[in-house]
């Protein structure tokens, strides 16, 4: 694999902190040498010369240090490790066995290792390697495993005769494939480390991508798997402790172990009956663990810097700016206000779950034109396409084509950087997520609207109390990923008089799981329905971490319309169109939002795809939960030719869920409603809306134009400033 690393990069132990709390930085350099770390406030992360430009406030008076750095390694690939396997006589015969399923046939890998012995698979079939008195020996079956079928694999060895047998048998097949050999001086391991899906505990390697189930070590030489088997020395049951990183030996020696790099658990196993779709109801059907050579949990780097957020530090978006002779990087984080305030009226809810879901999304689009633009603009020069070592996103797949369902934030995240370009956008900057949301932050700054910042993770940890001080909550451009905790908190907020401005598209869409034991991890299963980068396999729709049904919130009976009034309906390439005002926008009850706006067209310009209604569009739908008192103030027109209706709206080539023509559903709508408690929701239903807060037209350049005017009217009114 490409092992290229950045000249300097790192990660923090958290995305956000309050004054008085510590932020721990873990830094790695390409080579040993000095580097400088200083604090900046992030005002704008858009390097487009037609936009506001990259803007940082230098805070080196608060933090500016020069330190010595060095490379810190990353070990990709999940595996199981039993520190000490069963003790046994070196000369007693023995059998190792495991059930194997892989879609990645041909990848040379270790299935199970025990001390110096390993059982693996490659394009020539299943093999075993072990040591004899004349050096290492390898035997193999010469028959590849069948893709996506369960097999029993075994190695039997008898030191007294030197006999070795490696075997495999596909489930449901009577055919046993075996190879045998004779090895003088055969010595078998005892009380050695046992590993699953890798070998060599000191430097794990030969990672396997596929499922393993029921590994066991038996005290005897097995020749017939249908006959009574020898006594068990160790037998690991992966259906025990599915939400955990613990693996349990049910044998007499209790050789328990643990998992590294969070492989997938709760996966359909060899004995799956189909009688239950949830692993909690029949864990024995889910006794498989799916390992991948690209899995990554916490990089585990040593700490280089611990910095305490000063007590007078204002809430906002900040970054550690790292520089060394060879390059630079920014590691972003947010500072929350003190628990006791003071609080601004307005709070920005940073979509950190979404940033994390997209972390290091390799799109394969960092071509010469992309790189030329990045260079010309002084954008972040590092694209995940070129740096697989930092792990991929939940939009990417593993080597076996299965989707990546786990994302860690304890790693360098190249996409979550000021100045990171997602697309070579012909009509704009091509920003998404973290840098795209700085359009909103820079706009707030320019308009002189004070704001605090909190994150998805804070909201999930702390619940509704975190929102209680605020009159207005602003989302970013794409608050797509939510836990039950974040959705509940936002719903409670608007139900109790809070005012929510949903300033994105395709929000509140996917359900993610978190658990306290792994605070830096989100999990998602791309279950049935929705626009998906991959699909979870049938029977594997329940999260391993919390046991809940994953997938779309819509399929969890909580469509986005229930909270936000609008929900995902149309999608296309990263390009945008405009909205046209509807009669409700002239109604005296709502016309205040449009004060100062001339004409009917809203946002036929912008830094994201060239239009305020673009890329991913949401619309109102009472059947899906849009409140009956909601009004549609404006609607997008003329969707670009690349747009499609989202699959969850389509029933057949003729019919849609709503009954409307499919093409008519490719629209975004600006919606407003009051709640009974005096709260309100303003929703724009488009990812590119915030890109149009800035008007790049030379005659009107700046945070000017109908989009800026509309949002300023809404935010000031919500904040009680008018
Ligand atoms: Fe998305």
């Amino acid at each position: 694999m490409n092992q290229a690393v950045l000249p300097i990069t790192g990660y923090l132990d958290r995305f956000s902190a309050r004054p008085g709390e510590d932020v721990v930085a873990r830094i790695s350099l390409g080579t040993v040498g000095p580097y400088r770390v200083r604090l900046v406030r992030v005002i704008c992360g858009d390097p487009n010369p037609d936009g506001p430009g990259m803007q940082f406030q230098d805070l080196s008076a608060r933090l500016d240090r020069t330190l010595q750095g060095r490379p810190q390694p990353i070990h990709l690939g999940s595996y199981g490790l039993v520190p000490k396997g069963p003790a046994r006589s070196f000369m007693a015969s023995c059998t190792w066995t495991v059930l194997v399923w892989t879609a990645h046939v041909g990848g040379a890998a270790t299935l199970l290792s025990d001390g110096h012995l390993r059982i693996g698979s490659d394009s020539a079939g299943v093999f075993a390697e072990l040591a004899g008195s004349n050096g290492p020996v390898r035997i193999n079956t010469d028959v590849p495993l069948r893709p996506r079928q369960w097999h029993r694999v075994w190695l039997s060895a008898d030191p007294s005769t030197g006999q070795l047998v490696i075997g495999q048998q596909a489930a449901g097949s009577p055919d046993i494939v075996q190879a045998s050999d004779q090895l003088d001086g055969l010595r078998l391991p005892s009380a050695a480390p046992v590993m699953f899906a890798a070998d060599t505990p000191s430097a794990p390697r030969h990672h396997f991508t596929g499922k393993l189930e029921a590994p066991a070590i038996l005290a005897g030489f097995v020749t017939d798997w249908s006959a009574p088997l020898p006594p068990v020395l160790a037998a690991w049951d992966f259906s025990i402790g599915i939400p955990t990183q613990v693996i349990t030996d049910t044998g007499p020696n209790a050789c328990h172990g643990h998992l590294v790099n969070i492989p997938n658990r709760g996966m359909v196993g060899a004995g799956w009956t189909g009688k239950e779709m949830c692993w909690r109801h029949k864990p024995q059907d889910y006794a498989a663990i799916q390992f991948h050579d690209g899995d990554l949990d916490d990089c585990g780097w040593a700490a280089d810097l611990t910095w305490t957020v000063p007590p007078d530090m204002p809430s906002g978006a900040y970054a550690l700016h790292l520089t060394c002779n060879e390059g630079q990087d920014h590691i972003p984080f947010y500072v929350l206000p003190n628990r006791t305030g003071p609080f601004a009226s307005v709070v920005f809810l940073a979509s950190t779950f979404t940033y994390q879901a997209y972390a290091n999304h390799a799109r394969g689009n960092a071509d010469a034109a992309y790189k030329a633009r990045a260079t010309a603009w002084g954008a972040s020069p590092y694209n995940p396409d070129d740096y697989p070592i930092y792990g991929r996103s939940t939009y990417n797949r593993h080597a076996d084509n299965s989707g990546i369902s786990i994302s860690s934030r304890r790693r360098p995240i190249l996409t979550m950087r000021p100045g990171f370009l997602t697309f070579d956008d012909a009509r704009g900057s091509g920003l998404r997520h973290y840098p795209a949301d700085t359009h909103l932050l820079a706009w707030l700054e320019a308009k002189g609207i004070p704001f605090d910042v909190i994150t998805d993770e804070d909201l999930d940890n702390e619940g509704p109390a975190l929102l209680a001080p605020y009159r207005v909550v602003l989302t970013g451009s794409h608050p797509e990923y939510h836990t039950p905790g974040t959705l509940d908190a936002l719903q409670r907020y608007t139900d109790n008089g809070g005012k929510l401005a949903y300033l994105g598209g395709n929000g509140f869409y996917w359900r993610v799981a978190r658990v306290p034991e792994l605070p830096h991890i989100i999990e998602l299963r791309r279950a049935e329905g929705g626009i998906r980068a991959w699909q979870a396999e049938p029977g594997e729709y329940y999260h391993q971490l919390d046991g809940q049904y994953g997938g779309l919130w819509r399929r969890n009976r909580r469509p986005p319309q229930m909270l936000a009034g609008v929900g995902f309906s149309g999608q296309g390439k990263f390009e945008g169109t405009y909205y046209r005002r509807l009669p409700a926008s002239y109604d005296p009850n709502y016309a205040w939002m449009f004060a100062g706006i001339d004409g009917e067209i809203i946002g036929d310009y912008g830094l994201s795809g060239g239009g305020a209604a673009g890329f991913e569009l949401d619309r109102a739908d009472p059947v899906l939960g849009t409140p009956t008192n909601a009004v549609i103030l404006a609607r997008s027109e003329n969707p670009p030719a690349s747009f499609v209706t989202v699959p969850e709206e389509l029933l057949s080539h003729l019919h849609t869920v709503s009954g409307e023509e499919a093409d008519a559903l490719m629209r975004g709508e600006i919606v407003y409603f009051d709640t009974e408690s005096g709260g309100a929701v303003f929703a724009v239903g488009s990812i590119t809306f915030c890109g149009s807060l800035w008007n790049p037209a030379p005659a009107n350049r700046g945070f000017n134009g109908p989009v800026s005017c509309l949002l300023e009217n809404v935010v000031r009114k919500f904040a009680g400033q008018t």
Side-chain angles (χ1 to χ4, degrees):
M1 189 187 77
N2 173 2
Q3 299 282 321
V5 297
L6 269 57
I8 184 166
T9 190
Y11 59 94
L12 308 179
D13 62 329
R14 54 205 303 177
F15 276 156
S16 61
R18 286 190 167 90
E21 294 177 342
D22 288 344
V23 173
V24 180
R26 299 164 196 275
I27 311 296
S28 179
L29 273 64
T31 56
V32 171
Y35 67 96
R36 183 178 174 197
V37 53
R38 68 187 183 99
L39 184 69
V40 296
R41 192 165 67 91
V42 179
I43 297 168
C44 185
D46 185 347
N48 184 346
D50 289 338
M54 299 281 276
Q55 295 178 36
F56 301 98
Q57 180 185 1
D58 178 15
L59 295 174
S60 46
R62 290 192 184 262
L63 172 65
D64 185 358
R65 292 186 205 169
T66 298
L67 301 167
Q68 279 295 312
R70 72 289 184 222
Q72 301 212 57
I74 293 176
H75 299 291
L76 294 177
S78 56
Y79 57 91
L81 175 64
V82 176
K84 188 175 176 185
R88 42 187 299 287
S89 163
F90 289 116
M91 297 308 290
S93 61
C94 189
T95 295
W96 293 259
T97 185
V98 64
L99 302 175
V100 183
W101 180 104
T102 180
H104 186 51
V105 172
T110 294
L111 306 171
L112 182 158
S113 69
D114 185 354
H116 63 273
L117 171 158
R118 75 177 181 116
I119 302 167
S121 69
D122 61 16
S123 57
V126 173
F127 64 84
E129 286 180 353
L130 63 172
S133 55
N134 296 323
V137 66
R138 176 183 171 114
I139 59 172
N140 65 67
T141 60
D142 273 334
V143 176
L145 296 174
R146 301 177 191 176
R148 300 178 62 86
Q149 283 196 26
W150 281 99
H151 298 74
R152 175 172 295 284
V153 169
W154 65 93
L155 171 71
S156 292
D158 184 351
S160 66
T161 63
Q163 189 184 9
L164 287 174
V165 171
I166 181 86
Q168 70 195 58
Q169 182 177 20
S173 166
D175 300 332
I176 291 176
V177 179
Q178 291 194 112
S180 58
D181 202 350
Q182 203 75 22
L183 184 63
D184 292 335
L186 180 62
R187 279 176 66 88
L188 301 180
S190 172
V194 175
M195 295 178 76
F196 309 118
D199 58 70
T200 318
S202 57
R205 57 182 182 163
H206 301 138
H207 293 280
F208 170 66
T209 293
K211 292 179 179 178
L212 299 179
E213 178 171 341
I217 304 175
L218 307 177
F221 196 100
V222 177
T223 53
D224 181 356
W225 287 95
S226 61
L229 297 175
V232 164
L233 286 169
W236 291 274
D237 184 346
F238 293 163
S239 75
I240 299 172
I242 285 173
T244 75
Q245 305 308 306
V246 174
I247 44 182
T248 299
D249 175 15
T250 60
N253 299 301
C255 297
H256 307 309
H258 63 275
L259 297 167
V260 176
N261 280 332
I262 315 183
N264 283 139
R265 303 192 76 167
M267 305 307 272
V268 164
W272 195 64
T273 59
K275 291 180 178 172
E276 292 290 348
M277 302 299 276
C278 172
W279 58 260
R280 284 184 286 104
H281 299 158
K282 207 164 188 295
Q284 63 269 34
D285 279 17
Y286 291 88
I289 295 179
Q290 191 161 356
F291 299 90
H292 310 94
D293 62 5
D295 282 331
L296 178 61
D297 176 8
D298 181 335
C299 286
W301 288 353
D304 292 89
L305 173 73
T306 298
W307 178 68
T308 305
V309 180
D312 62 339
M313 191 86 168
S315 178
Y318 295 87
L320 297 185
H321 184 209
L322 310 174
T323 51
C324 69
N325 289 336
E326 290 75 29
Q328 62 168 330
D329 196 15
H330 287 92
I331 312 181
F333 66 102
Y334 299 100
V335 172
L336 276 63
N338 274 300
R339 283 187 190 280
T340 53
F343 302 100
S345 298
V346 175
V347 67
F348 168 64
L349 174 60
S351 303
T352 50
F353 289 157
T354 301
Y355 306 159
Q356 192 170 338
Y358 279 89
N360 295 338
H361 182 189
R363 296 171 181 268
N365 68 343
D367 57 13
Y370 169 97
K371 289 177 179 173
R373 169 175 279 190
T375 302
W377 284 5
S380 174
Y382 308 117
N383 188 285
D385 283 1
D386 302 321
Y387 299 95
I389 192 69
Y390 301 114
R392 296 304 202 194
S393 77
T394 67
Y395 284 77
N396 294 114
R397 297 163 183 256
H398 294 289
D400 61 356
N401 217 31
S402 65
I404 296 176
S405 62
I406 300 279
S407 180
S408 166
R409 60 169 167 72
R410 289 191 183 152
R411 55 175 170 149
I413 300 176
L414 280 53
T415 47
M416 190 178 164
R417 292 292 187 259
F420 177 80
L421 306 181
T422 293
F423 298 112
D424 183 11
D425 177 0
R427 299 175 60 196
S429 310
L431 304 185
R432 295 196 63 196
H433 313 303
Y434 174 83
D437 288 347
T438 68
H439 287 144
L440 175 62
L441 301 187
W443 177 85
L444 289 163
E445 191 90 10
K447 296 297 175 188
I449 298 172
F451 64 97
D452 290 346
V453 182
I454 58 174
T455 72
D456 287 341
E457 192 171 323
D458 299 310
L459 189 56
D460 191 46
N461 290 342
E462 301 185 23
L466 188 63
L467 301 178
Y470 298 104
R471 300 181 73 132
V472 194
V473 174
L474 307 179
T475 76
S477 58
H478 192 34
E480 182 176 14
Y481 291 84
H482 284 271
T483 61
T486 57
L487 272 196
D488 287 350
L490 287 164
Q491 190 72 61
R492 180 96 68 92
Y493 176 72
T494 60
D495 287 349
N496 289 343
K499 294 182 164 65
L500 172 67
Y502 163 41
L503 303 181
N506 186 17
F508 315 106
Y509 192 63
W510 289 106
R511 181 173 185 159
V512 290
R514 291 180 74 231
V515 289
E517 298 77 23
L518 298 166
H520 57 293
I521 294 293
I522 59 169
E523 180 196 7
L524 81 137
R525 299 277 168 127
R526 296 200 189 273
E528 53 202 309
I531 288 264
R532 294 172 293 176
W534 47 270
Q535 62 171 351
E537 296 265 355
E540 297 175 354
Y541 293 168
Y542 286 79
H543 304 139
Q544 68 195 70
L545 295 182
D546 69 0
Q548 298 299 300
Y549 181 75
L552 297 186
W553 275 112
R554 176 171 173 160
R555 292 195 56 82
N556 278 270
R557 298 188 71 90
R558 291 187 76 168
Q561 285 89 345
M562 292 173 70
L563 170 70
V566 296
F568 196 24
S569 194
Q571 180 185 32
K573 291 182 178 173
F574 196 72
E575 49 191 348
T577 179
Y578 57 88
Y579 305 88
R580 185 182 295 278
R581 291 174 61 178
L582 296 178
S585 73
Y586 299 95
D587 182 313
N589 288 319
Y590 310 109
W592 57 269
M593 285 180 262
F594 293 84
I597 296 175
D598 297 326
E600 292 200 334
I601 303 300
I602 306 288
D604 53 349
Y605 55 85
L607 294 173
S608 292
F615 193 49
E616 297 188 342
L617 300 174
D618 300 354
R619 67 178 173 84
D621 191 333
V623 174
L624 293 172
T626 303
T628 52
N629 64 330
V631 292
I632 303 173
L633 302 165
R635 178 175 289 144
S636 68
E637 289 183 348
N638 293 329
S642 66
F643 273 55
V644 298
T645 304
V646 296
E648 61 268 32
E649 292 288 357
L650 304 177
L651 295 173
S652 72
H653 64 300
L654 295 175
H655 303 295
T656 64
V657 174
S658 71
E660 291 185 75
E661 292 290 326
D663 285 354
L665 298 176
M666 297 184 293
R667 66 180 192 257
E669 291 173 339
I670 299 178
V671 163
Y672 178 92
F673 60 92
D674 294 303
T675 68
E676 288 182 13
S677 58
V681 174
F682 171 79
V684 304
S686 163
I687 281 187
T688 61
F689 180 90
C690 288
S692 298
L693 291 171
W694 177 270
N695 191 339
N700 200 13
R701 181 183 162 88
F703 287 117
N704 302 310
V707 172
S708 172
C709 188
L710 172 62
L711 188 61
E712 186 169 356
N713 289 337
V714 170
V715 172
R716 291 202 188 278
K717 172 91 168 189
F718 278 4
Q721 295 178 1
T722 56

